[in-house]
């Protein structure tokens, strides 16, 4: 990864629908260079895919929960895999501190969240959970600023 890769990534984070030609024009480089750089970053797993940024509340997922999970040590990885595969889960982190895992998930309503938490508590090795509900989304953006402009 060099500065040019980061500049390409920055443009794609702003608008993943940009064509190779538009990126090349913006960065004053050849279209082939853009193509080759993006292809290489996809092959290396730097770019994992392209997806729109959604307003989840507008599509019926207005409830966000942050859930701490205390788990038995030998089951942590299995629990993390099960959580990561669940449709409602957006983020799963293996963390230090009082809890072993933190999960961020989106739900349609309290009943939807209740079913999820009961499912989570039924997983073998889950000792306890602590669920916090987001009262207001202040910032929700997984894009990071990659270059110093």
């Amino acid at each position: 990864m060099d500065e040019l890769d980061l500049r390409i990534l920055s443009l794609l984070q702003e608008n993943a629908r940009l064509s190779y030609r538009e990126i090349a024009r913006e960065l004053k480089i050849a279209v082939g260079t853009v193509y080759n750089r993006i292809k290489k970053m996809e092959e290396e797993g730097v770019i994992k895919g392209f997806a729109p940024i959604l307003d989840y509340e507008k599509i019926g997922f207005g409830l966000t929960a942050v859930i701490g999970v205390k788990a038995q040590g030998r089951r942590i990885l299995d629990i993390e895999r099960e959580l990561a595969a669940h449709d409602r889960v957006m983020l799963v982190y293996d963390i230090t501190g009082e809890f072993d895992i933190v999960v961020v998930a989106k739900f349609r309503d309290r009943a939807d969240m209740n079913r999820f938490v009961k499912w989570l508590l039924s997983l073998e090795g889950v000792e306890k959970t602590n669920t916090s509900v987001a009262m207001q989304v202040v910032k929700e953006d997984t894009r990071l600023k990659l270059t110093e402009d």
Side-chain angles (χ1 to χ4, degrees), residues 27-111:
L27 299 178
K28 297 174 180 49
I29 58 175
V31 174
T33 301
V34 173
Y35 172 81
N36 290 333
R37 295 286 185 122
I38 290 174
K39 184 174 169 66
K40 182 179 179 198
M41 287 188 279
E42 287 175 321
E43 290 169 355
E44 292 175 347
V46 173
I47 297 174
K48 295 180 178 186
F50 296 89
I53 299 168
L54 305 176
D55 183 329
Y56 290 101
E57 192 165 334
K58 289 183 179 175
I59 58 172
F61 291 89
L63 186 71
T64 302
V66 179
I67 305 167
V69 181
K70 180 78 176 150
Q72 294 171 354
R74 68 186 191 290
R75 293 279 304 143
I76 290 174
L77 293 176
D78 294 330
I79 293 166
E80 289 170 345
R81 278 191 282 274
E82 289 185 65
L83 284 165
H86 196 284
D87 292 341
R88 294 293 190 257
V89 173
M90 298 182 72
L91 306 167
V92 177
Y93 295 108
D94 187 315
I95 62 168
T96 61
E98 181 182 351
F99 292 94
D100 304 300
I101 305 164
V102 70
V103 178
V104 177
K106 296 276 189 185
F107 304 99
R108 293 191 180 279
D109 52 35
R110 285 192 332 256

Side-chain angles (χ1 to χ4, degrees), residues 3 6 11 36 40 52 72-73 86 104 121 131 148-149:
E3 184 65 25
L6 294 175
L11 289 173
N36 290 333
K40 182 179 179 198
Q72 294 171 354
H86 196 284
V104 177
L121 286 166
T131 302
E148 301 297 323
D149 294 339

